[in-house]
Amino acid sequence: MRKEDTVKLISAEGFEFVIDKKAAMVSQTIRNMLTSPGSFAETQDGKVTFPEISTVILEKICQYFYWSLQYASGKETEFHIEPELTLELMMAANYLHT
């Protein structure tokens, strides 16, 4: 996979998730960060840092991005969310517009 086809998402603790750019584009916020005109670091480097999102939550978000791509065709499946992650995940999802 080519570097320009991936995006690096960095959690508050500094953990880096390298995911397909197509998967990251599920998020409107990330899409805007990566495609905005101008010289934004995110656009040039393909890295997005989330200082407010923990590693556990960002990992779940990355899983959701791939799940969303896989099941966008309309096939009904469930995306499992552990109850203890629900509140923090909802806040992150609201920020990311997912």
Side-chain angles (χ1 to χ4, degrees):
M1 184 175 298
R2 300 177 328 186
K3 184 179 178 186
E4 55 270 7
D5 294 336
T6 62
V7 175
K8 190 178 290 187
L9 305 181
I10 305 169
S11 72
E13 297 86 5
F15 192 88
E16 299 177 353
F17 295 91
V18 178
I19 66 171
D20 293 333
K21 191 172 189 175
K22 187 175 180 181
M25 296 295 196
V26 167
S27 164
Q28 183 66 45
T29 301
I30 294 173
R31 185 179 317 126
N32 289 343
M33 289 175 171
L34 296 174
T35 60
S36 295
S39 299
F40 296 106
E42 293 87 358
T43 305
Q44 294 178 353
D45 301 337
K47 294 182 189 178
V48 182
T49 302
F50 297 101
E52 303 294 323
I53 300 178
S54 70
T55 299
V56 172
I57 297 300
L58 191 55
E59 179 180 26
K60 195 68 169 179
I61 289 169
C62 291
Q63 291 170 1
Y64 172 78
F65 292 162
Y66 283 105
W67 176 87
S68 181
L69 284 179
Q70 186 176 1
Y71 296 107
S73 63
K75 182 179 178 183
E76 289 196 30
T77 63
E78 287 188 24
F79 181 74
H80 178 71
I81 299 172
E82 295 80 2
E84 63 273 10
L85 300 180
T86 304
L87 180 60
E88 194 176 352
L89 194 55
M90 285 175 43
M91 292 180 351
N94 185 49
Y95 170 73
L96 294 172
H97 300 281
T98 54

